[in-house]
Amino acid sequence: MEAATLKDIARELNISVSTVSRALRDSYEINAETKRLVMECAARLHYRPNPIALSLKGSSSKAIAVVVPQIANYYFSQAINGIEEVANRRGYDVLIFQTHETYEREVANLRQAVARRVDGVLISLSSETSDTSHLQELQQHGMPIVQFDRVSGELNTPRVVADNFGGAFAATDHLIKTGRRRIAHLTIQPWLSITQERLAGYRAALEQNGLPYDESLVRFGTFGPDEVGPLVDELMALTPRPDAFFTASDRLALGCLAALRQRRIAIPEEVSLVGFTNLTVADMLSPSLSTVVQPAMEIGQEAVSRLLDLIELKHRAAPPTTITIPTTMVLRESSQLAVGRFEEV
Amino acid sequence: MEAATLKDIARELNISVSTVSRALRDSYEINAETKRLVMECAARLHYRPNPIALSLKGSSSKAIAVVVPQIANYYFSQAINGIEEVANRRGYDVLIFQTHETYEREVANLRQAVARRVDGVLISLSSETSDTSHLQELQQHGMPIVQFDRVSGELNTPRVVADNFGGAFAATDHLIKTGRRRIAHLTIQPWLSITQERLAGYRAALEQNGLPYDESLVRFGTFGPDEVGPLVDELMALTPRPDAFFTASDRLALGCLAALRQRRIAIPEEVSLVGFTNLTVADMLSPSLSTVVQPAMEIGQEAVSRLLDLIELKHRAAPPTTITIPTTMVLRESSQLAVGRFEEV
DNA sequence: TTGTACGCGTTATCAT
DNA sequence: ATGATAACGCGTACAA
């Protein structure tokens, strides 16, 4: 690909590259006529400054890296949507990397990001990552880093997360307030911060309503499409059996819904269901399923916004805050009806 | 961010940068001992060649641009997943741009891609784009381009698309073979190539089975979450009324499913349903909904593979082929049962 | 076998 | 007000 350079303009106008450079940057010490000529010529040749040359010269590449477990996932694709929007508006390009939930690829991705001389890193840790020394090293070398969603307490950076505690509390409390007493909680990997926060919200709601916490009602895992059914069977075999399910992901909510219907368990007469899901899924399922909606896009926007502030202002003394974005509980109609909505889909 | 350079290694070892450069490239004319020393030092300093300097020097940036309408969409996020995988394996980074379905942003994104000196462009046109002169100009300037999914016939590039005709034919034929005669088709914007191909497959299946094509059974549009219900009502008010729906997107499939259930229309006793959807959605809904699955990831992989071939081999005489990736029809059990599966979800 | 010089596009620092 | 030059990191033709 050819592209006009300062040299092209200089040659065209028989002046020097530095004059062209200054004219385009609107330097005060330059002849108005020359300036006009340069501007005109630049426009005619569709001149764009070469960001690569700029990167090589200065220390800024006007690009940031976003490292996520996977793109093909509603949550992360919505987050990236928000990230891209804000980043572009502030003049940054976005390089996207997938870890595929492995530590190895996470490290490789960060190397690649460094090689590309990105100005900062936005990361949601892979589920395999427990040791964060690779990120700490990066940070000590001066790379601005912001964590979002899957964050580590070890790592001293700003963190942007959903209000997992609040969302889980609201969902559980809602179920209790509508008469449920044995609420099963189907959730993901136990070592993730988001899992722990949701579990804490669930427990707090039980406690505040004077209900016991029963370990046997809580199940952690990475359940495949065919594993939810047996899990539901196992839980429904308990005595007394659950009268509600609170699920932590899209897959779990849909899997649970399908399993209950297949087993001819009336929803919500016998069992209620609330899912912690994403906006798009909630959208598609509405007006069928009440959900706690994850603010994925807002998290992305807030996270990138923090990162760009960090990059541009270089807050050396930036206190590593945790920013919590509220979740929304979507009940299609009145809260009384809401429990009854699950009969449809 | 600091990062080791050739100069750092040279200084450390008291030799010249060019010696270091050659040692690392394993030049045959170099002292084995020097080579070993350089290698060791490079490893110790975590040396990575600076791709920015390489881009500035040569003509290759080892990066490609992917321009899609939106990321927060199962189809495109899966496609990007495939693209990223293959690109990384072949040593390329991926820059992602969203058009948000506007022509204006498509043009801006391509400018940005050119400014970043990408080696090639993978694009799925925005729904607003009918004039492709911006891409033609880019191509004439020598930029390798491959279109996927939303393609234009005007633009003389390789095209990678799903077998929309075949998929629509299979779905329609399946419905007819299981006794349906009045099959409504809910689909998206009529000017998109994918829409036309699916419509053609639908028509062909009707024709081959000796059924008439009834315009009033086909509806085009960008239906919001609350618009599918009324549309279904309108269609069900026709005489004779439809006994099946074939829908062209995730949203339409789910919206249609919800609308039918809400209206107490028995599926499939009264009305059958098959959706043209994505793997992840099909996955989540299974074993509830039979679908024609779009091969999003495979399309991404094939498209990027073609693009990289174009970049690396510079096939000047590359015949602009259209590569068609087959779709898969997912019937959860036997084809007889399949029609009966829709009662669940 | 190793070192020197140049160029990629840009800006900053001199000089004129 | 404008021009020449150095520097960013790299590879390579050329010189030693």
Side-chain angles (χ1 to χ4, degrees), chain B residues 4-199:
Chain B
T5 71
L6 289 186
K7 193 188 282 185
D8 296 326
I9 300 178
R11 194 185 311 117
E12 183 110 358
L13 268 53
N14 278 317
I15 54 179
S16 79
V17 277
S18 44
T19 305
V20 177
S21 173
R22 275 181 286 230
L24 289 171
R25 309 197 81 241
D26 206 23
S27 174
Y28 51 95
E29 36 169 2
I30 209 99
N31 184 298
E33 175 60 9
T34 311
K35 204 179 283 188
R36 201 190 53 72
L37 243 60
V38 169
M39 293 301 213
E40 183 274 324
C41 184
R44 185 159 43 79
L45 268 55
H46 293 96
Y47 169 80
R48 306 277 144 188
N50 183 340
I52 294 171
L54 290 176
S55 308
L56 188 57
K57 176 141 196 38
S59 54
S60 159
S61 65
K62 286 284 184 182
I64 60 169
V66 177
V67 181
V68 294
Q70 40 176 330
I71 295 171
N73 169 303
Y74 265 136
Y75 181 83
F76 291 115
S77 62
Q78 280 178 256
I80 290 170
N81 192 13
I83 290 166
E84 218 239 2
E85 183 208 324
V86 174
N88 284 354
R89 197 167 46 216
R90 290 179 59 169
Y92 286 78
D93 279 341
V94 177
L95 267 67
I96 293 175
F97 300 92
Q98 300 188 72
T99 63
H100 293 287
E101 303 284 13
T102 73
Y103 175 78
E104 185 198 344
R105 292 211 51 173
E106 187 170 294
V107 172
N109 285 339
L110 289 168
R111 277 203 210 300
Q112 192 66 12
V114 170
R116 284 277 172 194
R117 302 296 191 272
V118 296
D119 293 339
V121 171
L122 216 48
I123 189 168
S124 188
L125 300 176
S126 95
S127 61
E128 245 186 47
T129 302
S130 52
D131 175 24
T132 58
S133 55
H134 54 309
L135 284 158
Q136 288 177 23
E137 195 189 341
L138 205 60
Q139 195 181 25
Q140 275 156 17
H141 282 353
M143 177 72 85
I145 300 177
V146 169
Q147 300 182 81
F148 73 102
D149 188 52
R150 305 257 202 89
V151 303
S152 162
E154 289 179 22
L155 195 59
N156 208 29
T157 71
R159 283 177 279 269
V160 181
V161 293
D163 183 8
N164 290 296
F165 180 93
F169 186 96
T172 311
D173 192 61
H174 165 75
L175 287 166
I176 298 169
K177 291 288 197 302
T178 51
R180 304 299 157 179
R181 323 235 84 208
R182 295 271 294 162
I183 303 167
H185 180 33
L186 270 49
T187 185
I188 52 177
Q189 295 95 325
W191 59 85
L192 298 179
S193 55
I194 53 177
T195 305
Q196 289 160 12
E197 291 158 19
R198 289 170 195 174
L199 182 61

Side-chain angles (χ1 to χ4, degrees), chain A residues 1 3 48 50-53 55-56 61-63 71-72 74 77-78 80-81 84 88 93 96-98 100 105 111-112 114-117 138 141 143 225 251 254 261-262 264 283-284 287 341 344-345, chain B residues 1 3 46 48 50-52 55-56 61-63 71-72 74 77-78 80-81 84 88 93 96-98 100 105 111-112 114-117 138 141 143 225 251 254 261-262 264 283-284 287 341 344-345:
Chain A
M1 262 303 294
R48 305 276 146 189
N50 184 338
I52 293 171
S55 308
L56 186 57
S61 65
K62 286 282 181 186
I71 296 171
Y74 265 137
S77 61
Q78 281 178 255
I80 290 169
N81 191 14
E84 218 239 2
N88 285 354
D93 280 340
I96 293 174
F97 300 92
Q98 301 188 72
H100 294 287
R105 292 213 50 175
R111 277 203 208 297
Q112 191 67 11
V114 171
R116 284 276 172 196
R117 303 299 192 268
L138 206 59
H141 283 353
M143 176 74 84
R251 295 189 77 97
L254 284 159
R261 291 198 70 91
Q262 260 181 348
R264 308 280 167 217
D283 237 39
M284 287 199 309
R341 299 304 303 167
E344 319 286 359
V345 163
Chain B
M1 260 305 292
H46 293 96
R48 306 277 144 188
N50 183 340
I52 294 171
S55 308
L56 188 57
S61 65
K62 286 284 184 182
I71 295 171
Y74 265 136
S77 62
Q78 280 178 256
I80 290 170
N81 192 13
E84 218 239 2
N88 284 354
D93 279 341
I96 293 175
F97 300 92
Q98 300 188 72
H100 293 287
R105 292 211 51 173
R111 277 203 210 300
Q112 192 66 12
V114 170
R116 284 277 172 194
R117 302 296 191 272
L138 205 60
H141 282 353
M143 177 72 85
R251 294 190 78 94
L254 283 159
R261 292 196 69 92
Q262 259 181 349
R264 309 278 168 217
D283 237 39
M284 287 200 309
R341 298 305 302 166
E344 318 287 2
V345 162

Side-chain angles (χ1 to χ4, degrees), chain A residues 46-319:
Chain A
H46 293 95
Y47 170 79
R48 305 276 146 189
N50 184 338
I52 293 171
L54 290 176
S55 308
L56 186 57
K57 177 127 195 48
S59 54
S60 160
S61 65
K62 286 282 181 186
I64 60 168
V66 178
V67 181
V68 293
Q70 41 175 331
I71 296 171
N73 169 300
Y74 265 137
Y75 182 83
F76 291 116
S77 61
Q78 281 178 255
I80 290 169
N81 191 14
I83 290 166
E84 218 239 2
E85 183 207 323
V86 173
N88 285 354
R89 196 167 48 215
R90 291 179 59 169
Y92 286 77
D93 280 340
V94 177
L95 268 69
I96 293 174
F97 300 92
Q98 301 188 72
T99 63
H100 294 287
E101 303 284 13
T102 72
Y103 176 77
E104 183 197 346
R105 292 213 50 175
E106 188 170 292
V107 172
N109 286 339
L110 289 169
R111 277 203 208 297
Q112 191 67 11
V114 171
R116 284 276 172 196
R117 303 299 192 268
V118 295
D119 294 338
V121 171
L122 216 49
I123 189 167
S124 189
L125 300 175
S126 93
S127 60
E128 246 186 46
T129 302
S130 53
D131 176 23
T132 58
S133 56
H134 54 309
L135 284 158
Q136 288 178 22
E137 195 190 342
L138 206 59
Q139 195 180 27
Q140 276 156 17
H141 283 353
M143 176 74 84
I145 301 177
V146 169
Q147 301 182 78
F148 73 102
D149 189 53
R150 305 256 201 92
V151 303
S152 161
E154 287 179 23
L155 197 58
N156 206 29
T157 71
R159 286 176 276 270
V160 181
V161 294
D163 183 8
N164 290 296
F165 179 93
F169 186 96
T172 310
D173 192 61
H174 165 76
L175 287 167
I176 298 169
K177 291 289 195 304
T178 52
R180 303 298 158 180
R181 325 234 82 209
R182 295 272 295 163
I183 302 166
H185 181 32
L186 270 51
T187 186
I188 51 178
Q189 296 95 325
W191 60 84
L192 298 179
S193 55
I194 53 178
T195 305
Q196 289 160 12
E197 290 158 20
R198 289 171 196 173
L199 182 61
Y202 163 82
R203 293 189 67 156
L206 291 178
E207 193 174 340
Q208 184 165 313
N209 286 278
L211 290 177
Y213 171 70
D214 183 349
E215 258 189 1
S216 64
L217 288 174
V218 179
R219 299 303 164 92
F220 305 88
T222 51
F223 304 105
D226 302 323
E227 296 177 280
V228 181
L231 181 64
V232 167
D233 288 335
E234 199 185 315
L235 284 159
M236 292 302 286
L238 293 174
T239 323
R241 79 182 212 181
D243 53 15
F245 283 82
F246 168 48
T247 60
S249 75
D250 297 341
R251 295 189 77 97
L252 286 168
L254 284 159
C256 193
L257 191 58
L260 291 171
R261 291 198 70 91
Q262 260 181 348
R263 283 151 187 77
R264 308 280 167 217
I265 295 166
I267 303 173
E269 289 75 14
E270 296 176 72
V271 170
S272 290
L273 176 61
V274 171
F276 214 117
T277 62
N278 295 306
L279 185 58
T280 324
V281 172
D283 237 39
M284 287 199 309
L285 290 175
S286 73
S288 311
L289 181 63
S290 288
T291 53
V292 177
V293 177
Q294 309 208 59
M297 206 175 70
E298 291 80 358
I299 287 179
Q301 291 170 331
E302 184 64 33
V304 73
S305 178
R306 296 283 167 160
L307 181 64
L308 297 184
D309 289 349
L310 218 57
I311 291 170
E312 289 173 358
L313 303 175
K314 288 282 179 195
H315 281 300
R316 185 181 301 276

